[in-house]
Structures are given as structure tokens and as C-alpha cells.
Amino acid sequence: MINKDTLFEIICDIVPQYYKSKKGIGNRIIIDLDGDEYSLYSFRANTPKLSSLIRFIKDEAKQFLSLDLGSIHLERQLIERNIVNKWMKINNYDENWFEFFDFCNSIEYKTYENSNIGFTFIYKPNITTSSISILTESTNQKILDVLAESQHTYIKVGKSWNILEYGYINTGENYSPDEKYRIIPSFLEPYQSILGNEECGITRTKRGDLILYSKYGILASCRKGQWKIYDPYTFKNSVGDILDLNYYMGCNLTSILFDLSYKRHGALILFDINNTIDDIILNQNSILNKSTNPLYKILEESLGKINLNATCTKDLHKPLILELASVDGAIVFDKEGKLKSFGSIIKNHDNADNEEGARSTAAKSVFNYMKSPVFKISSDGEISILFNKKSAVRHGESEDIKLSFL
């Protein structure tokens, strides 16, 4: 059975911007779990939607704690599904999401022509023009399995998951100027661009990742059986708060983190805020203004255009950043958002000896040396953020904090 401490861990895990703090750093959020108060923290105060979710968990805590399925894994899965189901309803998608989750389970190990099943549905609430449900239609399932699996095609569904239409994205369509601030992996932007105010995009990749999103950003995702929920604006702003440099850099960095995660490209992104990182980079040739490598000289003109502080997509040069971040070693930006180095090997710190893997060791090392934010993406897509913040209410005491998601 799930106990209160485990339930609290589930809550902390499922909302990525929540974290635990011994020194009270951030906005305190109190949740009552069947008579016991627990505290978690967030840089941004809860929105009304997140406050509604916390009230729901409080009201359902006794029910969650009474689950006895003989498996903590199954109990956790059921609790997460309840939380995601409620979150989608809070966002005005009032559907039987449990039925949809069961459908996803049913195709988890299903293939078509030796390829896993992927799809994109565009869900429009409260519209019913047919009696054929995408979830229960078995006669034409072999057809449905491939109709919405290619990029830019989709099936629009309405109430009770009934099929409304089959469509595609016009790839020549231009996106609105503020599209980059609607935080979502880039490969989903074409679908997001056509969503109406009441519509929800639902994409299952062939890797098995499930992503639920609105026109304003990602709402929930499931990877390797674990759910995360997102309040798009406050999550994006939380990343900016951690970086603590510039609003645009926070927005652009969040988008890059999602892209690297869903590409399954391991990466380490660092910021030389105090201009001191040169001392802990072992391969000095990776630093652009110090490199004697002829290749770096050739690339210098293009790399100099990269600007994480860009206010529009073309000035960001994101494709270049994504490729450079995938090179072995760290990619480093200065505090203005300009590229400083890539492929950089970090000197090991004594307090990082117990870390598993070179990338984790490098992340912990640079954090111990500099205490500036470190953004790590593992090869399986998990994002970890290490940062140090001070508590204004406790005389400037600082605390090391880690967030993990996706």
C-alpha cells in the first residue's frame, strides 16, 4: 500500500516545477494528506488551475492511501492517472481519459509492418458527428493504425472519442511570431499551430512517448510509464527563474531542453555567468576565442550568430544549438546568451566521484565548482536541473536543489 510519504513523493515528481526545500526557498505550497501537512515549494505561486489540482489531491488522499493492489507500481500508476485525468478536466477537456489510457496500454506492444504504432489525434470536446470511436473500432483497426502515424497527418476526434475527420498539416504554413513561447517540442509545433482554443493535441510517438498539449503548450506527458503534468506558462517561467539571466533566454532554453529530450540526445548545457569556467575546461581548444583548431575557425562565423537571448526564432539558430549540444562534452553559453564553447570536457570535482556516467560526473563537477545552473539531458531523455538559490527570509542562506522531469 502507498503510505503518506510515498504519496507526497508522487506529487513532487508529477509536477516538475515543485521541489522540496529544507530552508524554505521559494513559494511554499502546503498539502494536507489525510490529516498530515506536507510542504513543497515552487518559484512561481500556484495558478488557479494548480491550486484546484492540489485541492483535488487533498480531497482524494484518503482514497489513494487505501489502495491495495498488491503492487506499489500499479498503485502509483493509478494515482498518477487520476491526477492527470483531473488535470485535463481542469483544463476543460472533460472526457473519459481512463478509457484513452487503456487504449494506449493496448497498443503498447502492437506493431504494424514491424513498426510501433504512433498517432496524432486532435480532440475537440463536446462535438459528436459519428458513432465510430477511435478507441473501440476493431473492424478497421489495421487502417486506423496507419492513418495518423506519419508526420503532419492527424485524426480529429470528438466526444466519446468518436471520429470526426481525417486531415493533414500544410507544411508551407507560417507560424505566429509568438509560437516559440508556447512551450512544446518542435516536432509538434505544426499540430499546435492549427489547434483552436478548445482543442487538444494528443500525440503518441513510435518510441511510446505520449504527449497531451493545447495551443498554449504541453499539458502532460508520459514516458516509460511515468506521468508529468505542466502548467505551460509557470513552468517556462520557473526555468527562467532558475537561470536568472533573461526572460527570453529562459523561454528559448526550455524549448531546447524539450527538443533534446524527445530526440533522445544526451547533452550538458552550462552558463559561464561569472566568466570563470575556462579554469575547469580541460580541452581549451573547445573554447571559441582560444581554439587553435582550424575547424573551429571555419565554423566561427556561423557559431557567432547563435544567440540564446534572441527574441525571434531565426536569430536563435536553434538547429545549430541542438547539433552542438549533442557533441560529446558540454556546450557553454556566456551570460549574454552567446556561445562560448562546445564539446568541452570538465575537470572532475572530488565531490562528484560517486556519480554514475561521464555526463552526470561533469554536471555535478561544474556545479560544485561554480554553483551556476546546470542543465543535463540523459541519453534516454530525462532532464535534470541543478541550481543553488538563496532564501531571503532566512538571512541569505543558500541551498542546492535538483529538478528532474521527462
Side-chain angles (χ1 to χ4, degrees):
M1 293 177 63
I2 295 287
N3 59 35
K4 294 180 183 180
D5 289 344
T6 303
L7 179 56
F8 178 62
E9 292 293 336
I10 292 172
I11 298 164
C12 288
D13 287 346
I14 202 169
V15 184
Q17 66 206 56
Y18 288 167
Y19 56 88
K20 290 176 285 187
S21 171
K22 295 179 180 178
K23 298 181 179 179
I25 293 174
N27 290 280
R28 186 185 183 196
I29 300 163
I30 300 174
I31 182 165
D32 185 300
L33 300 179
D34 196 24
D36 289 332
E37 285 190 349
Y38 287 78
S39 295
L40 45 79
Y41 293 82
S42 173
F43 284 118
R44 295 279 164 156
N46 269 355
T47 59
K49 289 181 178 180
L50 282 172
S51 294
S52 295
L53 186 69
I54 292 296
R55 286 194 297 271
F56 165 76
I57 295 171
K58 172 184 176 294
D59 292 342
E60 296 296 315
K62 189 170 185 177
Q63 187 77 12
F64 292 155
L65 294 166
S66 68
L67 287 173
D68 189 4
L69 303 178
S71 166
I72 291 180
H73 172 73
L74 291 177
E75 290 162 2
R76 180 182 181 118
Q77 185 181 72
L78 183 55
I79 291 170
E80 288 185 354
R81 285 186 174 190
N82 270 276
I83 293 173
V84 174
N85 176 66
K86 180 62 177 180
W87 180 242
M88 296 305 291
K89 292 179 184 299
I90 288 172
N91 282 277
N92 299 316
Y93 302 113
D94 193 13
E95 191 54 80
N96 184 348
W97 289 94
F98 290 102
E99 186 180 23
F100 175 73
F101 300 151
D102 287 343
F103 168 74
C104 291
N105 278 353
S106 72
I107 64 172
E108 185 172 357
Y109 301 106
K110 187 177 180 182
T111 61
Y112 184 87
E113 299 290 346
N114 295 318
S115 178
N116 293 330
I117 304 298
F119 59 74
T120 292
F121 301 154
I122 292 181
Y123 167 63
K124 191 173 184 65
N126 304 319
I127 302 295
T128 303
T129 59
S130 79
S131 59
I132 301 176
S133 171
I134 194 73
L135 308 188
T136 59
E137 174 61 29
S138 58
T139 304
N140 296 306
Q141 197 60 53
K142 286 189 175 182
I143 298 174
L144 294 173
D145 283 346
V146 297
L147 283 188
E149 72 165 0
S150 61
Q151 195 171 11
H152 301 140
T153 60
Y154 62 86
I155 294 176
K156 184 168 285 191
V157 298
K159 190 174 178 60
S160 300
W161 307 105
N162 288 343
I163 300 171
L164 302 179
E165 64 179 75
Y166 180 48
Y168 71 98
I169 306 293
N170 183 350
T171 56
E173 217 172 282
N174 292 320
Y175 304 139
S176 61
D178 66 340
E179 195 67 37
K180 63 182 178 300
Y181 300 128
R182 300 176 181 182
I183 301 302
I184 200 167
S186 293
F187 73 95
L188 294 180
E189 286 179 355
Y191 295 113
Q192 188 189 41
S193 70
I194 65 167
L195 291 178
N197 289 329
E198 298 180 349
E199 294 179 332
C200 173
I202 305 169
T203 295
R204 185 183 191 272
T205 70
K206 291 191 175 185
R207 291 179 183 268
D209 299 329
L210 183 62
I211 311 150
L212 315 178
Y213 49 98
S214 71
K215 68 178 293 183
Y216 303 106
I218 189 169
L219 296 173
S221 67
C222 185
R223 174 175 289 173
K224 296 187 293 187
Q226 290 194 321
W227 279 98
K228 304 290 181 183
I229 67 166
Y230 299 89
D231 185 77
Y233 291 118
T234 54
F235 176 74
K236 170 198 65 181
N237 291 334
S238 291
V239 174
D241 290 340
I242 291 169
L243 186 58
D244 198 23
L245 288 176
N246 180 283
Y247 171 77
Y248 299 111
M249 288 175 70
C251 294
N252 290 323
L253 178 60
T254 306
S255 175
I256 289 167
L257 291 174
F258 275 121
D259 279 358
L260 288 169
S261 176
Y262 280 101
K263 285 177 179 290
R264 299 296 202 274
H265 278 186
L268 184 61
I269 303 176
L270 310 176
F271 292 85
D272 188 16
I273 295 173
N274 298 314
N275 200 31
T276 57
I277 201 170
D278 290 21
D279 295 337
I280 61 170
I281 293 179
L282 296 178
N283 54 337
Q284 294 282 298
N285 255 353
S286 69
I287 304 172
L288 295 183
N289 63 1
K290 291 186 176 182
S291 182
T292 59
N293 186 330
L295 176 61
Y296 276 59
K297 296 299 182 183
I298 295 172
L299 299 177
E300 195 171 77
E301 182 177 354
S302 295
L303 301 185
K305 296 176 182 178
I306 291 174
N307 183 12
L308 199 62
N309 196 21
T311 59
C312 60
T313 303
K314 65 181 180 65
D315 294 332
L316 174 61
H317 299 283
K318 188 200 284 188
L320 297 182
I321 296 174
L322 296 178
E323 296 302 330
L324 293 171
S326 301
V327 174
D328 285 344
I331 182 171
V332 183
F333 295 92
D334 65 21
K335 65 180 180 180
E336 305 300 330
K338 301 298 288 184
L339 180 69
K340 179 163 188 172
S341 72
F342 71 95
S344 296
I345 307 302
I346 303 298
K347 177 182 176 182
N348 283 358
H349 191 283
D350 291 342
N351 291 340
D353 288 344
N354 294 327
E355 295 294 317
E356 293 184 5
R359 192 175 292 116
S360 294
T361 300
K364 192 67 176 290
S365 292
V366 75
F367 183 68
N368 278 315
Y369 281 123
M370 301 175 59
K371 293 299 182 184
S372 58
V374 175
F375 301 83
K376 180 179 78 75
I377 302 92
S378 68
S379 56
D380 66 356
E382 181 179 351
I383 300 170
S384 299
I385 305 176
L386 299 174
F387 59 99
N388 179 277
K389 285 293 182 181
K390 291 184 177 180
S391 168
V393 298
R394 295 211 177 183
H395 312 292
E397 289 182 307
S398 65
E399 182 176 10
D400 296 347
I401 301 170
K402 179 180 179 180
L403 298 184
S404 296
F405 54 98
L406 285 172

